[in-house]
Structure formats: structure tokens, C-alpha cells
């Protein structure tokens, strides 16, 4: 089928080079993409080419989530990136950020759309949106990453579309676009279950703002999932055991509230553990759905799931695309302003599961910085969920660097989640339930349940010293 | 008029001593009260008496907000408090907390009701609720502090009422009780404006759970407001100037979104500044409404305000009580689960204004701990608002201890609000707009705009050193 069903917009198809000409030195550019899928690929290459051939070309780039090397890497290496807003996880970009050569501002995923529409980041000169297609009325059909596409379509001055032929056309209808107006307008987000439809499958877009359309066929650069290792399996098993006990004690209902699950191996292992468990009627209200969510649906465990991106690993992609229709009605793709909305997260009592780089004895979590100095990736949506969840779980292996350092530390070198927001900490050693505990009590349970046995004596000694120096050590750690 | 209009409940009136007998060693007790108003006074005195006469009596006390010395002070000094959940600001209790003799857990105001109903803090054996009265059907009429009264009435095993004759009877009808069911139930909070009514003026309560009723007439122990000093006036003036400029730039709409304002002198000064300004049609969606909110209504600036407590200073109390009827429809008292709900705060794009103890050069805020060791009061609801607001403002004088120490520091000794959540920092020196800035940029603007001139050279030197050591200092501060 013709992907561009609107004639006026079809007439704007041009070359990537011609389209990229709309982007000039000093501009602020917004781009689609989330978890390294659905990001523009052709225009960034043209921009890099221009910079490499000597043009003075520097831009501010805003994305909703992390994007592939074809944009962050290509632009970083060509020196085109001057400022960068949004989550990122590109190796070359990170090096420039940590050398202060690219100005990077790490922002909650739910705040990015809010900041754009209120002008907190200045105006967006051009948005580059990869899309699956355009409908008869000129409305946009997103890829499997919706992110901030609705916000960019509405608030950018000019729009360039990359219509990518590798995106399955059957994605049409999986989106539920519901865009909140800015203040003083006030509006309920009427979601009561993860698969409630409250909007339209299409993104409205003023056709006059679309200045160019490029046809592309580059594949997304997201990676295959690694098989869970023994530590991940142990963490998943502790979490499952804990959840079952919570149901038994009456603190959590059965069926459980929806799960949010961070990206990566541990998250994947926990969800795969759920697929094999005897828990039934599970639901998912999350930022990114990965392979495990599809597995949970296939296993008959989940009938209602949503997120702002559905990121299938390359190995599983073809098989999934072939049967994508059977997931419609069960999986919904939402704008990130909705997937990460405090309103819905609290309303649904979401169980938030995220990963930590290190956890301190008071329960503060560092999830972004190595040694407090160098940023790893960014905060992502972890705090959107943690802060407003019904139950917040953080996991980490008890040690890093092949066991050389403890991930349970006296004092984290950077606080991303405060002691007031973390409830359950889990390592391969065990699980610490911090709810209702004082700072000293939290320290004890973290040492005895989560720290690696070889680091426990030192951590106990730290607490003994802290206690001797300052009787109520609230915060001294 | 008879305050207890239900006959069966009137028949349960007894002495404080007899009522207090329901509270036994080891129990968890919930109590009404917020900002030192609306808390029980007679039963705590009886408990203290028993402990002082040798009875082994220790309890866990949970409140929604801070309560007067007649409960926290009396019970702390008598050794009755073993554990304490919720915000507190009592001098004697604080000393015991910091000596680790009372186990204190500081919790977000919006989390307390959630934790109670989900059993995260164990079960509530007895709730002591100060009320204005009981209606014909046995439903409770709250004082001017609603707090967690609805949650305690629903989830406590037994209830003791203190019916206080000094609470104006005209408070009846000012409450809007809307209690969220626990998971798996999901429910919209349909508030679109601060004075939208969504519930009932009365708290439903199973009459069989009411084991005793005591008549009391003790006054609340809240304090008079201090007159704003020059620093507070300067801060208020910077905030006003900033807000007007935001409207001019289009980043904030006119009329402005609702204000949340922390408790205390600076908050009061800002609101009084608004009353004198040319800004119109202001609204208030906050935790605690103080004298200034009444002044704003009197000045014709505010027609729509709500909070979980309306705390009028003793000097203004009598005059306010005499004319309370004319505020009905303009002021609404809500359960703290609703006043502090992330859902409504984000929906209304609330402008959150809170105070800091110290702010670091990356923008992290400490609002609870002195020197990182001793807790001052607690977090209160500051993070409920900051984290979900449309704009978050923190204020502090630039120095403390008569100018001896800087409140703008390289690294805060305790993080309550992370760099990701703070947007505007204001001192008497000026205002720093941190939106969209990198860590280094934030440091520069905080030093040049907010720090006291005498501390600027040292702070600049710190940044120079940090930059030399670790080029991208993200988080090193």
C-alpha cells in the first residue's frame, strides 16, 4: 500500500540532501525515536556530511528517549551536536558530554514534552520525524516509538518526515495519541486500565508545516537481548518470591497492579520469570515494552499492556512483524507524556522496577553517574515511575567490576532517587524491604540482605563509626 | 447547636481517662492534625500521665502532618513515643529522634495515606480524631485540618473522637471528602479547578468502630506569623518580577496556574506580595493555607483555593471564625491524599514554592537535615509538589547563622530534591533560572545570581578546581 496516502504531502517527497537544507547552524532540532528505534536516519547523515565538508553547523538536539548511532553517534563525531536534551546512551556522544564538549541536560522522560510545549527549552525550529506513513487526511502514523512525536508535530515550526519502508505497515492502529494541552487548560487522562483507548491512532499535523518528505529504508540499530546470567536469574527469583508474599500478606492485590520495567537484562529476566510463574492476569504500564512483554502475551499471562515504544530485538523482529496484528487490542503505544504520566502511574498503583548503579545505606539510589563524575546514560523515566508508583523496586548486582567494588555503598556519589522514594532493593544476594524503616534500620537490612558477604564487615564498621559520631545518623551516610 | 447529632455516638461520650484505656502498650496509633491544628489533646495527656506513673507504655504514632506540643511534646517527654511516622516539628521530639531514641521515618505527605491503606506501616489499632462534630448519620465533621482523617476513619480498628468545642461549627460544609480506594481499584480524581467539589462534606465512619467520645475545649498551639524581614521581602520581590516576566515571554499563561506555597515566613511574604501586585484571578492548590490566602481572598485576588489545612494564626483566628461563612465556595478543605495528589498537581501545572536549607551548585536541594546529620523537621509535601509541578521554585536566604555560612554550597549534605526537579532558585540576592542548563551552567548562574557576594570567590574557585579535575563534572559537586 502507498505509505503516503495524502497527495499534498506526497508531493513534498524530495532528497535527504534537499530536506536537510532546512536545518541551519544554531537551530534547535527535535527528533523522533525511543530506545534506539524510530529515529531519523537519512537527514542526520546529510548534516554530518555538511559539517565534515567544512560547514559551520552546530545544533541543539532534543529527543524523547535514546536514539541510534545513526543520529547521536554520527552527529557527535561530526561535531554537529552542541547541546543535547533527553536520554542518550551513545558511546561517542557520552565521551563528548563527559569532556564538556557537548552540553548535556539530563531530564525526566515525562518532563521533556512539558518543557517543549511551555518553551522551557526555547522554540523547536525543525522536527525530523521518522514515521510509518501518512493517512489520507495528512495525519502521521508513528513507528513503534511514539515518544514526543505528537508534541514535536504540534510545537515545531517546520517538520521533515522520514517515511521508512522497513516499519511494518500493520503498526497502523496500535497507537493511542492523546496530547495534553498546555496550561491554563486542564484535562483528565481517563485511563483506568493499560489498554484503555482514549485518543486517536493518528497524530494531527498542520500540512503547511511539513516542508519536506524523504523516503528511507534504514533499519533501527537496537541490540539483541543478552541471555540472563546467574545474577539476573537470582534477582528475578527474589522479586517473584517477594511479590507472591506481598499478595499472601494482603499488601498487594491479586491480580497484581501493572508492571513498569526498566530497559535491560534484569528487567527482562524478571518479566521472563513472571511468564513462567503461576501468577495470572498480569498487566503492563511502562515506558518501553521489550521482547519479554510479547512473551508474556504469548504465554497468556498478559492481555493489557502499553508503553511509548515497543522495541523488539533484531533477532525476533521479523517473526514479530509477521504476526503483529494479533497483538492489537492487547498492546497500545502512547505518547511518552501519557506513558510516564504521574497521574496514571499513581492511579494504577504501578509496580516500578528499575536498575541502580549503586545504592547507599540510607536507601538513596544513583542510576546515572559513575564515581559521581561521569554520566553513564541518563535518568530516563525511572523517576517518573519510582516517585509515583504504588511500589518501587530497584535492582543491581551486589558488586561491580568483577567483584572488585560493592554496589551497596555508605554514600552514593550522585542521588537520582532519594531515600524517600525507594522501597525495595534487590541484589542476587537477597531483597531488602525498606518500607517504614528508619535510616539505621535500612542500613542494617541492606547490609545483611543485599550486600555481598565479603563487603559486609566493612559496611557494618562504617555504621558502627557513624553511630558513635552522630547518634541519629539521618542522612550522614 | 449540639455538636454530636447522632444519638448512638452521643451515648459514647466518656472521660478522657476511660477513652485512653483503649490504647495499650505496643499499639500503633493514628492521630488527626496538620500544621499544629486539629490534633487530639485530651487523650495524649492521659497517656503521658499513665507512663509517668510507671506504666510501661510505648506506641507508634502516625500523623498526616505536624501536630502540637500537646501531643508530640507531651508524649515524647513522657517516653511514650517509640516510633513516629509523618512530618513533625517538635523541639523535644526532634532531640529524641536525633539521639535515635525515637525511631523516626520521614515520608512524603502524599505517601502517608497510601502506606496506611496498603498496610505498609502495619495495621492501625486505634485512631484518635479531633473533630468539629458528628452529623445525624454518624458521619464526621473535620476541623480545619482534614489530613488523613478519612483514611484513619476507614482503616483503623478502633476510633476515639475528641469533639472540640473551640472549633467553629461553621466549618461544616467546607470539606470535600473524596477517598481513593486501594488497588486494584482505579479512579480518576476529577478536579479541574482548585474549588471543584468532587466529594462530600462528611467523613463516613462505621459507628461500631467508635469506641469512645470525649468532649474537649483546648486550643490549637500553632504560632503567629512573624512579620517578613528584609530578606523575605527581597525574595518575594524577585519571585514576583520573575513571574511577570514569564507571563510576558509566554512561558506562563495569565492568569497564572494555581500556587502551592510551603509553610513559613518566605511563603507568606510571597503571597502577600501577590496580594499587592497587579496580578489578577489567582488560584491556590496547596497543602496548607495560611493567613495570606485569606488576605488574598479579601483583596479580591483569589476566588478559588484549597488545601488539606486552613491554619489561621492565633492573632487572626477570632476575626476569621466570625466571618468564616463568606469563604465557603472559595476555600475547600481536602484529604491530604487529594491536596498532594501527583495527578492534580501535574494537571493544574501548579507553581510549587518551597524553602531550602541549602542548595548545591548542581541544583540539588536539602530541605531536611542540618549538616547532613540532624533532621530539622521533615520533608512534608515539598516533593509531592516539586516533582509534579508545572514550575518548581525553591527559596532560601543566601547565608545562615548571621552570615557565617553560605546556603549555596558545593555539595548539599543531604539530597531531598534532585537536580532534575529544581527549576528556579531564589535568594535575597537574586533568582537563578536553571531550566535547560547543564551542571556547569547551573553552577555559574547560582554563584552569580544567588550566592552572597562574599562567598562567590570561594565557590568560583571550587568550580575551577572541579573543572580541572573532571572535565564534565556532572554530579561531582
Amino acid at each position: 500500500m502507498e505509505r503516503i496516502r495524502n497527495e499534498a504531502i506526497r508531493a513534498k517527497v524530495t532528497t535527504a540532501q534537499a530536506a536537510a537544507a532546512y536545518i541551519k547552524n544554531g537551530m534547535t532540532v527535535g527528533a523522533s525515536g525511543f530506545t534506539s528505534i524510530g529515529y531519523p536516519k537519512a537527514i542526520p547523515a546529510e548534516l554530518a556530511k555538511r559539517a565534515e565538508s567544512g560547514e559551520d553547523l552546530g545544533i541543539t538536539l532534543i529527543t524523547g528517549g535514546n536514539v541510534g548511532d545513526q543520529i547521536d553517534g554520527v552527529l557527535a563525531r561530526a561535531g554537529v551536536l552542541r547541546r543535547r536534551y533527553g536520554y542518550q546512551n551513545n558511546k561517542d556522544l557520552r565521551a563528548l558530554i563527559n569532556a564538556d564538549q557537548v552540553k548535556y541536560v539530563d531530564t525526566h522522560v515525562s518532563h521533556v514534552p512539558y518543557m517543549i510545549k511551555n518553551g522551557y527549552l526555547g522554540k523547536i525550529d525543525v522536527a525530523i520525524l521518522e514515521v510509518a506513513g501518512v493517512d489520507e487526511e495528512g495525519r502521521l502514523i508513528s513507528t513503534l516509538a511514539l515518544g514526543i512525536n505528537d508534541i514535536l508535530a504540534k510545537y515545531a515550526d517546520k517538520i521533515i518526515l522520514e517515511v521508512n519502508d522497513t516499519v511494518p505497515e500493520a503498526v497502523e492502529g496500535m497507537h493511542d495519541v492523546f496530547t495534553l494541552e498546555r496550561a491554563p487548560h486542564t484535562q483528565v487522562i481517563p485511563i483506568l486500565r493499560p489498554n484503555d483507548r482514549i485518543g486517536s491512532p493518528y497524530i494531527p499535523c498542520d500540512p503547511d508545516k511539513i516542508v519536506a518528505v524523504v523516503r528511507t529504508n534504514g533499519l533501527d540499530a537496537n541490540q539483541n537481548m543478552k541471555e540472563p546470567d546467574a545474577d539476573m536469574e537470582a534477582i528475578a527469583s527474589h522479586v517473584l518470591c517477594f511479590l507472591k508474599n506481598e499478595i499472601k500478606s494482603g499488601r498487594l492485590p491479586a491480580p497484581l497492579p501493572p508492571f513498569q520495567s526498566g530497559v535491560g537484562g534484569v528487567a527482562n529476566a524478571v518479566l521472563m520469570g513472571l511468564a513462567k510463574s503461576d501468577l495470572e492476569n498480569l498487566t503492563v504500564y511502562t515506558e518501553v515494552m521489550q521482547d519479554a512483554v510479547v512473551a508474556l502475551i504469548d504465554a497468556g499471562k498478559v492481555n493489557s499492556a502499553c508503553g511509548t515504544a515497543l522495541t523488539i530485538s533484531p533477532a525476533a523482529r521479523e517473526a514479530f512483524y509477521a504476526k503483529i496484528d494479533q497483538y492489537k487490542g492487547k498492546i497500545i503505544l502512547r505518547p511518552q507524556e501519557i506513558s510516564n504520566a504521574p497521574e496514571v502511574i499513581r492511579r494504577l498503583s504501578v509496580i516500578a522496577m528499575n536498575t541502580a548503579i549503586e545504592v547507599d545505606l540510607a536507601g538513596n539510589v544513583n542510576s546515572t553517574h559513575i564515581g559521581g563524575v561521569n554520566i553513564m546514560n541518563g535518568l530516563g523515566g525511572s523517576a517518573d515511575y519510582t516517585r509515583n508508583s504504588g511500589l518501587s523496586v530497584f535492582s543491581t548486582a551486589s558488586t561491580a567490576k568483577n567483584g572488585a567494588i560493592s554496589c551497596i555503598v555508605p554514600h552514593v556519589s550522585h542521588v537520582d532517587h532519594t531515600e524517600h522514594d525507594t522501597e525495595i532493593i534487590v541484589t542476587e544476594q537477597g531483597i531488602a524491604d525498606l518500607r517504614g524503616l528508619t535510616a539505621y534500620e535500612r542500613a542494617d537490612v541492606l547490609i545483611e540482605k543485599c550486600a555481598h558477604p565479603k563487603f559486609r564487615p566493612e559496611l557494618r564498621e562504617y555504621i558502627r563509626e557513624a553511630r558513635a559520631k552522630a547518634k541519629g545518623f539521618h542522612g550522614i551516610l
Side-chain angles (χ1 to χ4, degrees), chain A:
Chain A
M1 197 160 83
E2 175 51 61
R3 284 180 180 261
I4 309 174
R5 307 206 291 262
N6 177 286
E7 215 174 308
I9 292 174
R10 202 160 56 230
K12 296 182 185 180
V13 170
T14 182
T15 63
Q17 189 185 11
Y22 287 97
I23 296 171
K24 299 183 166 56
N25 189 37
M27 279 189 169
T28 294
V29 175
S32 63
F34 214 102
T35 14
S36 294
I37 66 164
Y39 52 89
K41 299 158 182 85
I43 307 291
E46 290 297 328
L47 297 176
K49 227 185 276 175
R50 280 161 51 188
E52 278 155 2
S53 68
E55 182 180 332
D56 183 14
L57 181 62
I59 64 167
T60 293
L61 178 65
I62 305 177
T63 65
N66 56 311
V67 290
D69 187 74
Q70 293 124 303
I71 169 165
D72 263 345
V74 161
L75 293 179
R77 290 188 293 271
V80 175
L81 288 187
R82 302 286 160 86
R83 290 185 83 81
R84 180 76 174 81
Y85 295 106
Y87 184 79
Q88 61 73 36
N89 68 346
N90 183 273
K91 194 174 140 285
D92 292 325
L93 173 55
R94 184 191 305 145
L96 291 172
I97 288 170
N98 286 321
D100 202 29
Q101 288 174 34
V102 174
K103 307 288 180 196
Y104 177 61
V105 184
D106 190 14
T107 310
H108 301 295
V109 163
S110 81
H111 284 195
V112 176
Y114 188 89
M115 296 185 90
I116 291 173
K117 65 183 166 189
N118 287 288
Y120 288 6
L121 305 177
K123 88 179 164 78
I124 314 282
D125 297 298
V126 181
I128 325 172
L129 305 179
E130 179 174 272
V131 294
V134 178
D135 84 345
E136 291 75 3
E137 297 175 35
R139 297 176 303 178
L140 312 181
I141 304 164
S142 260
T143 65
L144 282 85
L146 216 169
I148 53 173
N149 293 3
D150 57 326
I151 300 292
L152 290 175
K154 183 161 180 168
Y155 292 96
D157 282 356
K158 292 188 174 71
I159 293 163
I160 300 172
L161 298 181
E162 290 198 7
V163 182
N164 189 324
D165 281 332
T166 71
V167 179
E169 292 182 85
V171 73
E172 184 175 353
M174 287 189 94
H175 309 99
D176 186 46
V177 180
F178 182 88
T179 305
L180 293 167
E181 299 290 327
R182 53 167 298 194
H185 197 75
T186 54
Q187 202 172 354
V188 166
I189 307 173
I191 295 172
L192 296 175
R193 283 175 308 270
N195 66 342
D196 277 351
R197 287 205 152 268
I198 61 171
S200 148
Y202 306 101
I203 298 174
C205 184
D206 175 358
D208 292 342
K209 293 209 300 188
I210 300 175
V211 292
V213 180
V214 182
R215 304 298 302 243
T216 70
N217 55 16
L219 281 169
D220 291 316
N222 62 313
Q223 303 290 303
N224 283 323
M225 300 294 299
K226 280 184 206 139
E227 284 298 306
D229 62 20
D231 279 0
M232 291 177 192
E233 297 279 14
I235 288 171
S237 146
H238 294 315
V239 169
L240 269 174
C241 176
F242 168 79
L243 290 173
K244 285 187 191 177
N245 192 51
E246 285 297 290
I247 294 174
K248 220 166 116 186
S249 74
R251 285 186 294 269
L252 283 179
L256 288 166
F259 284 92
Q260 173 259 338
S261 162
V263 171
V266 174
N268 202 52
V270 172
L271 294 184
M272 293 311 286
L274 285 170
K276 286 178 235 152
S277 78
D278 56 0
L279 293 168
E280 302 285 342
N281 297 310
L282 303 172
T283 55
V284 173
Y285 194 89
T286 196
E287 183 177 298
V288 179
M289 296 174 284
Q290 294 181 285
D291 298 14
V293 170
V294 175
L296 279 163
I297 293 176
D298 290 344
K301 295 287 187 186
V302 165
N303 271 311
S304 176
C306 70
T308 197
L310 175 57
T311 306
I312 304 298
S313 59
R317 198 150 50 193
E318 206 174 328
F320 175 74
Y321 284 0
K323 57 176 185 171
I324 196 166
D325 269 323
Q326 71 192 67
Y327 297 94
K328 282 186 186 167
K330 294 179 182 173
I331 291 181
I332 285 182
L333 286 162
R334 304 188 182 281
Q336 72 189 60
E337 189 173 25
I338 306 299
S339 67
N340 289 46
E343 168 171 345
V344 187
I345 293 164
R346 179 69 66 95
R347 180 184 299 147
L348 305 190
S349 300
V350 166
I351 298 173
M353 301 192 298
N354 291 287
T355 52
I357 289 176
E358 55 181 4
V359 182
D360 75 21
L361 294 179
N364 296 295
V365 165
N366 172 15
S367 55
T368 57
H369 284 70
I370 300 292
V373 182
N374 288 311
I375 197 161
M376 192 59 202
N377 300 317
L379 190 63
S382 56
D384 293 327
Y385 289 94
T386 295
R387 185 66 188 78
N388 297 303
S389 66
L391 185 73
S392 77
V393 181
F394 277 92
S395 63
T396 173
S398 70
T399 62
K401 303 278 171 200
N402 291 318
I405 58 172
S406 177
C407 296
I408 307 293
V409 298
H411 202 147
V412 289
S413 54
H414 187 268
V415 178
D416 292 298
H417 309 281
T418 77
E419 49 160 319
H420 311 290
D421 295 322
T422 58
E423 296 182 312
I424 310 297
I425 307 292
V426 54
T427 69
E428 82 288 351
Q429 297 295 321
I431 202 156
D433 181 353
L434 309 183
R435 290 173 296 180
L437 300 189
T438 67
Y440 274 131
E441 291 167 341
R442 276 176 256 152
D444 285 345
V445 68
L446 280 163
I447 295 170
E448 305 309 328
K449 302 274 189 185
C450 291
H452 192 281
K454 71 177 172 184
F455 289 113
R456 287 181 194 169
E458 278 176 86
L459 292 165
R460 290 185 196 121
E461 184 53 30
Y462 179 88
I463 287 294
R464 256 194 304 273
E465 277 181 35
R467 204 182 258 273
K469 263 200 238 166
K471 280 203 175 154
F473 89 109
H474 308 276
I476 200 182
L477 295 182

